[in-house]
Amino acid sequence: MTRKDLLSERRERIIQLSMPKVSKAVWATLGPPVVWGNQELMRPISKAALKCQTSNHLLSLAVPKKNFQTDHPEKCCRDYFAYSCGRSSVIWQVQPSAMKANASKRIEELSRPKSVPSGYEEDRLSYVLGCGRSSPIWTVNKSALGSNAPERVNELARPKSLHRSYKPSREVAWLISDAAKNAKTPPSIESLSRPKERLDLPSRDPEWVIKKSTLSAHTTARVEDLSKPKKLIDRYIPNRDVEWKVSHAALNAKPTERVKGLAVPLLRDDMDHVQFDPLAFKVKTSALKGKIPSRIYDLARPVDRGGN
């Protein structure tokens, strides 16, 4: 293999590595082109699948499940929607024999309501918040109705007075002067106060009506100066539109063990586990005491391109 072929092969490899990685999520969303409205299959059936024969196990699995209700005709007459919406009736049909049957003593005993204990005395008036109360208001004693309230209670019962600096809202918000009442509006304000006239159509005309005075108007020198785009400064240096050429030595160079070690990505813990570690984001003491060299300060300064 010549050197020229080796360089071309390496360039093709670099171009291949520079291409972005295709997302695997496309595999689940994209498929073969499907034309709807015909009887064509989405995927063609292979010849081996057309010629294969089913096994006895597949034939046994293909047999439908037996309907055991056919053995009981009295249950087959039941509505299919007996336990869901759409049934003929919510109440089950009662047989005539059940309508004429007599309840046993045990069923009559279970149907009786629970009796109250013999020593129970009902007092519904004490249950003010319960059912059967006479009134939701507590009963007041006669002595409390005839007593006089002390001065402290009367003082607390008085409503809070307004602040002495408080001013109530004015009845008239703005007083219109006589000069404003007798003033005449100029014709420009009357034209602006008129509503826009639109035709009663399902859609608006996309063309705007332009006045003749607007078509014959001329811009002033000041408007032309403001409409000009902003110019660049004389000392402005644009970006260089030059591609860097890679040398043959760089193309044939092999990375050292140190470069390979630096190229290995850092394996960081998942945030689901790091969030429970209080020392995960702790800064080392040596990093806190370290000093930045002057060379880093020089590199951190932005390039002066002659701006403002």
Side-chain angles (χ1 to χ4, degrees):
M1 184 181 291
T2 61
R3 184 177 182 181
K4 187 176 182 180
D5 297 337
L6 182 62
L7 292 175
S8 62
E9 184 180 354
R10 291 183 178 178
R11 287 172 183 172
E12 291 178 359
R13 179 58 178 166
I14 291 172
I15 294 172
Q16 182 182 0
L17 293 174
S18 64
M19 297 295 292
K21 191 175 181 181
V22 181
S23 178
K24 294 182 180 179
V26 183
W27 298 355
T29 56
L30 297 180
V34 180
V35 180
W36 299 98
N38 53 13
Q39 300 296 328
E40 295 181 2
L41 300 175
M42 294 178 62
R43 292 179 176 85
I45 303 174
S46 60
K47 296 180 180 180
L50 293 173
K51 294 179 180 180
C52 69
Q53 296 180 358
T54 57
S55 60
N56 295 330
H57 185 59
L58 289 178
L59 293 175
S60 62
L61 291 175
V63 176
K65 190 176 180 181
K66 181 183 177 181
N67 187 7
F68 294 96
Q69 290 188 354
T70 55
D71 300 336
H72 304 280
E74 67 277 0
K75 294 184 179 179
C76 291
C77 301
R78 188 174 62 185
D79 297 335
Y80 291 105
F81 302 98
Y83 300 101
S84 62
C85 183
R87 55 184 177 269
S88 59
S89 176
V90 183
I91 304 173
W92 290 87
Q93 296 180 0
V94 185
Q95 299 179 0
S97 58
M99 297 289 292
K100 298 178 182 179
N102 296 326
S104 60
K105 293 182 179 180
R106 178 57 180 168
I107 293 177
E108 291 180 356
E109 182 181 357
L110 293 173
S111 63
R112 292 170 188 166
K114 191 174 181 181
S115 58
V116 182
S118 58
Y120 175 75
E121 295 180 359
E122 186 177 8
D123 186 10
R124 289 184 176 270
L125 295 178
S126 59
Y127 297 98
V128 188
L129 304 177
C131 182
R133 58 184 179 272
S134 59
S135 175
I137 304 174
W138 293 84
T139 55
V140 184
N141 298 332
K142 295 181 180 179
S143 58
L145 292 172
S147 62
N148 297 325
E151 296 181 0
R152 178 58 179 166
V153 174
N154 293 331
E155 183 181 356
L156 294 172
R158 292 170 191 161
K160 190 175 180 180
S161 59
L162 299 175
H163 196 267
R164 54 188 176 184
S165 308
Y166 172 76
K167 295 181 180 180
S169 56
R170 293 177 294 181
E171 296 181 359
V172 180
W174 301 97
L175 296 175
I176 303 173
S177 61
D178 297 334
K181 292 180 180 179
N182 301 327
K184 295 182 180 180
T185 55
S188 60
I189 295 179
E190 289 184 358
S191 62
L192 292 173
S193 63
R194 291 171 188 165
K196 209 173 220 182
E197 296 180 358
R198 299 184 185 274
L199 299 177
D200 296 335
L201 297 175
S203 59
R204 189 177 64 183
D205 189 5
E207 297 182 359
W208 294 90
V209 180
I210 304 175
K211 298 179 180 180
K212 295 181 180 179
S213 58
T214 307
L215 293 173
S216 60
H218 297 282
T219 57
T220 59
R222 177 59 177 165
V223 175
E224 291 180 357
D225 294 340
L226 293 173
S227 63
K228 292 178 182 178
K230 190 176 181 180
K231 297 181 180 180
L232 299 174
I233 197 168
D234 298 336
R235 295 175 295 171
Y236 174 75
I237 302 174
N239 297 328
R240 291 181 296 179
D241 191 9
V242 178
E243 295 182 359
W244 294 94
K245 293 184 178 181
V246 184
S247 61
H248 297 289
L251 292 173
N252 299 325
K254 294 182 179 180
T256 60
E257 297 296 333
R258 174 60 178 168
V259 175
K260 290 181 180 179
L262 293 174
V264 176
L266 293 176
L267 298 178
R268 301 182 184 276
D269 296 336
D270 192 4
M271 286 301 299
D272 297 337
H273 304 285
V274 173
Q275 62 180 347
F276 300 105
D277 187 6
L279 303 177
F281 303 99
K282 187 177 180 180
V283 185
K284 298 179 181 179
T285 54
S286 59
L288 294 173
K289 297 179 181 179
K291 295 181 180 181
I292 302 174
S294 58
R295 177 58 178 165
I296 301 296
Y297 279 113
D298 297 339
L299 294 173
R301 293 174 184 171
V303 179
D304 187 9
R305 297 185 179 273
N308 294 330

